[in-house]
Amino acid sequence: MEERGHWGSKVEFLLAVAGNVIGLGNVWRFPYLCYKNGGGAFLVPYLVFVVICGVPLFLLETTIGQYTQEGAITCWRKLCPLAEGIGYGGQLILLYSCMTYIIILSWALLYLVFSFSSQLPWSSCNNYWNTEDCVDFSTRNKTFEWTNKTNTTSAAIEFWEHRVLAISGGIEELGSIRWEVLLCLIALWVICYFCIWKGVKSTGKVVYFTATFPYIMLVILLIRGLSLPGALHGVLFYLLPEPSRLTDPQVWMEAGSQIFFSFSVGVGSLAVLGSYNTYNNNCYRDSLYLCLLNCGTSVVAGFAVFSVLGFMANEQDVPISEVAESGPGLAFIAYPQAIAMMPLPQLWSICFFVMFILLGLDTQFVAMEVVMTSFIDMFPTVMRKEGRRERFLLLFCLICFFFQLVMITEGGMYVFQIFDYYACNGSCILFLCVFETLALGWIFGADRLYGIIKDMTGVHANPFFKICWLFLTPLVSLGTFIFSLVEYQPLTYNRWYVYPAWVYVLGWMLASSSIIMVPGWALYKLSSGTGTLRQRFHRQCRPDTDCSLDLKREAELQHIRGEELDCFSTS
């Protein structure tokens, strides 16, 4: 049986976690939420959630992974077997994410290919997919057309909807597969497969490039954006505080949702990445630095985005609120449209989409690695044999690929939105986080967690984390979860297309599929054991006390082996 393995170095762990938590949400979601919810004032609820939920959960999950040296499911067998359903729910959300996230990357790859054209195809209205209502913003003398005509659309919107998506009239009209997107999708699956096919041995080497190069691109785009006319107006619009918005509960809810998304908590990713550390790694210090890096990247990305949007608003002589977008609207319409108005547009388009793809790529293959590790750790004697992992990974990629073919049809955008809005919903992650903190803080024990951190790192964690694990984090997570349900709005596309009723039923089934794992697994374990209900409950809440002893012995053996190797090399 092959060994489970560890990271080749501490740097590999740090880069893998950084690549996982710093993704598309930092670029296309945080800046928009900041401007939409009070500018600089939004940083107040954002930082509150970072301190109360983000950092404590980040540290908690990294700690349990490093302590148990197990995947996101089997780690619960050593901590609190009754809560193993949390692991299953998290992996189901990651499975849905693996099918949707790479679709976004395939669109970006197609844009990158078009960026090598002599003229960017979304910069003009002289193409076969354009309509009579198309407006070209690549030259300033055309801007009057936007203000003097009604029912006009930009060239960037028409390229996105008519050329890339060829979007149909509704989900009932799936149409044919977009073969160009299909080729991009195949290329990305091949890349992801070979990035992780050897486990952390290959993943740890790939992240040296995928986690660092986007920062180079981000700095280049930031410098370019800040040098454009109108950039200062965009930055002020991004950060100008509106203190009155702090009284709006929606602002606080969106700040909380952003934290749970961008910190990758609740789904087991951090536990799996931490499980490849050695037992005595200082995960406490690592978690604090990585959280700081994540927040800092979000803020810096906001400057890069809104400086360019300020330039575009200045060129079109319109308010920034009319060009500011979030999600796909920012990545595939607003930002490409702004790039088309710059000198050397092909260069900046290539920089942007290379950064965009690499930001998403490591998030994608780390999610795949988490699912693979969690499954293999459930069946180690079967799966840790030569060639088994590679074959199972190939099967996993093929299953995801064939299931997502419906998302790259002419009506695929409607299907994509269902999965993105319901299956990968932030409310599901909030629900898992509530029970994660309750299981670990109250059943496993916050004092025990505090002692584990001291035992592994030699550092006394701040007592504030104990207060968070016991009270603040579960209460705030539960409140945010309830508020998200109360404020639920049915899914629409572009605020005009309303889905059929059966779609909403399907959506709620997808959302509840991960949530139901938690009570479902607990009921199964309580009903299938022997003894009285009280005895079964206590047995399922009892942690594996031999876990730390085994890991300590392994750490000591590794230290002895290291000393022996040093002696051998010197002799």
Side-chain angles (χ1 to χ4, degrees):
M1 189 171 70
E2 295 179 351
E3 290 187 6
R4 192 173 187 274
H6 291 93
W7 296 111
S9 66
K10 186 185 187 70
V11 176
E12 290 183 7
F13 165 69
L14 294 174
L15 290 177
V17 177
N20 178 51
V21 300
I22 299 168
L24 303 183
N26 299 75
V27 175
W28 78 4
R29 195 165 186 267
F30 173 82
Y32 178 80
L33 288 178
C34 199
Y35 121 78
K36 176 187 170 188
N37 293 298
F42 179 73
L43 295 178
V44 174
Y46 179 80
L47 291 175
V48 168
F49 275 96
V50 166
V51 173
I52 293 178
C53 295
V55 179
L57 283 169
F58 197 103
L59 174 61
L60 178 68
E61 295 190 12
T62 308
T63 299
I64 64 173
Q66 183 170 309
Y67 172 68
T68 60
Q69 305 276 287
E70 293 283 352
I73 296 172
T74 49
C75 70
W76 289 101
R77 297 176 185 175
K78 294 184 176 180
L79 302 171
C80 179
L82 189 68
E84 194 175 328
I86 297 171
Y88 286 107
Q91 295 314 290
L92 194 55
I93 293 174
L94 278 182
L95 179 62
Y96 295 144
S97 299
C98 284
M99 290 193 289
T100 56
Y101 207 80
I102 201 168
I103 295 290
I104 301 170
L105 299 182
S106 64
W107 294 331
L109 182 56
L110 185 59
Y111 269 77
L112 178 62
V113 172
F114 278 117
S115 299
F116 290 93
S117 306
S118 57
Q119 182 185 32
L120 295 180
W122 57 83
S123 65
S124 69
C125 295
N126 303 321
N127 308 288
Y128 69 87
W129 59 82
N130 293 124
T131 66
E132 294 180 354
D133 296 324
C134 178
V135 177
D136 179 5
F137 287 115
S138 60
T139 53
R140 299 187 65 160
N141 59 0
K142 295 278 185 171
T143 57
F144 73 92
E145 297 182 28
W146 175 264
T147 55
N148 295 331
K149 288 177 65 177
T150 58
N151 299 323
T152 54
T153 55
S154 69
I157 292 176
E158 294 204 346
F159 176 78
W160 167 242
E161 294 187 346
H162 300 161
R163 180 68 178 86
V164 176
L165 300 179
I167 193 163
S168 65
I171 194 170
E172 300 93 342
E173 306 170 26
L174 287 179
S176 59
I177 290 177
R178 304 293 296 156
W179 68 269
E180 291 164 317
V181 181
L182 174 64
L183 293 176
C184 292
L185 188 61
I186 292 171
L188 287 165
W189 274 117
V190 171
I191 292 170
C192 288
Y193 176 84
F194 286 106
C195 282
I196 70 166
W197 73 319
K198 294 296 184 184
V200 291
K201 293 178 183 176
S202 55
T203 307
K205 303 299 180 288
V206 173
V207 291
Y208 276 101
F209 175 72
T210 58
T212 57
F213 194 72
Y215 279 96
I216 299 174
M217 294 291 100
L218 181 61
V219 170
I220 292 172
L221 291 170
L222 174 64
I223 295 171
R224 177 56 181 150
L226 292 175
S227 66
L228 293 168
L232 180 60
H233 184 51
V235 170
L236 291 175
F237 191 80
Y238 163 52
L239 288 179
L240 195 64
E242 295 180 47
S244 60
R245 296 302 308 279
L246 293 178
T247 59
D248 185 355
Q250 183 70 24
V251 173
W252 290 81
M253 201 275 284
E254 293 196 346
S257 298
Q258 174 64 12
I259 291 301
F260 284 93
F261 266 118
S262 66
F263 277 63
S264 294
V265 293
V267 293
S269 298
L270 298 172
V272 169
L273 295 174
S275 72
Y276 288 108
N277 282 329
T278 56
Y279 183 76
N280 292 319
N281 176 65
N282 193 339
C283 59
Y284 180 71
R285 182 182 59 201
D286 294 346
S287 297
L288 298 181
Y289 285 156
L290 286 165
C291 290
L292 184 63
L293 177 66
N294 187 19
C295 297
T297 303
S298 296
V299 174
V300 172
F303 284 98
V305 168
F306 270 87
S307 60
V308 172
L309 294 181
F311 160 74
M312 185 166 71
N314 181 69
E315 292 290 292
Q316 297 178 17
D317 196 23
V318 296
I320 295 180
S321 58
E322 292 187 16
V323 299
E325 292 281 355
S326 175
L330 171 66
F332 301 116
I333 298 175
Y335 210 93
Q337 183 175 315
I339 287 172
M341 303 167 73
M342 298 180 190
L344 301 175
Q346 288 87 351
L347 172 63
W348 304 115
S349 181
I350 292 169
C351 287
F352 175 73
F353 285 109
V354 166
M355 178 197 73
F356 189 89
I357 291 169
L358 290 178
L359 275 175
L361 195 61
D362 45 14
T363 303
Q364 171 71 19
F365 68 65
V366 166
M368 292 168 58
E369 177 62 48
V370 170
V371 176
M372 288 294 298
T373 296
S374 299
F375 184 84
I376 291 171
D377 283 350
M378 292 175 66
F379 310 100
T381 55
V382 176
M383 297 303 299
R384 286 189 198 153
K385 292 182 179 178
E386 188 176 356
R388 295 281 177 89
R389 176 192 168 87
E390 291 85 349
R391 289 196 290 270
F392 179 69
L393 176 60
L394 179 62
L395 178 65
F396 173 80
C397 293
L398 288 174
I399 290 173
C400 289
F401 174 75
F402 284 114
F403 268 104
Q404 67 187 176
L405 286 179
V406 69
M407 297 186 198
I408 57 172
T409 60
E410 293 172 355
M413 186 61 174
Y414 303 107
V415 181
F416 169 84
Q417 278 205 315
I418 296 169
F419 274 82
D420 185 58
Y421 193 79
Y422 289 102
C424 308
N425 193 291
S427 299
C428 304
I429 298 173
L430 285 166
F431 182 87
L432 296 180
C433 287
V434 170
F435 284 91
E436 179 180 85
T437 48
L438 289 175
L440 293 172
W442 289 92
I443 299 177
F444 183 75
D447 288 325
R448 184 179 279 145
L449 286 167
Y450 196 75
I452 286 170
I453 294 174
K454 173 65 173 68
D455 186 53
M456 292 194 303
T457 67
V459 176
H460 286 284
N462 194 308
F464 175 72
F465 288 114
K466 252 196 284 193
I467 299 172
C468 290
W469 294 332
L470 287 169
F471 306 107
L472 297 180
T473 305
L475 285 174
V476 172
S477 301
L478 179 62
T480 310
F481 171 73
I482 294 172
F483 187 79
S484 67
L485 295 181
V486 171
E487 293 295 313
Y488 163 75
Q489 296 291 329
L491 174 65
T492 60
Y493 177 74
N494 271 1
R495 295 184 288 273
W496 61 266
Y497 175 76
V498 179
Y499 285 83
W502 64 266
V503 169
Y504 298 116
V505 175
L506 175 63
W508 278 107
M509 288 174 62
L510 288 170
S512 60
S513 63
S514 56
I515 289 176
I516 204 171
M517 290 290 182
V518 179
W521 181 262
L523 290 173
Y524 165 71
K525 296 299 287 184
L526 290 174
S527 62
S528 61
T530 58
T532 65
L533 180 63
R534 183 184 181 88
Q535 289 171 336
R536 279 176 276 172
F537 179 79
H538 281 290
R539 193 182 306 122
Q540 293 300 319
C541 293
R542 190 181 303 135
D544 183 359
T545 53
D546 295 331
C547 175
S548 59
L549 294 174
D550 293 339
L551 292 171
K552 277 185 179 179
R553 292 192 194 102
E554 183 184 342
E556 289 169 1
L557 286 171
Q558 287 177 349
H559 181 66
I560 292 169
R561 289 192 198 110
E563 289 181 343
E564 289 174 348
L565 286 172
D566 290 340
C567 292
F568 179 77
S569 60
T570 53
S571 61

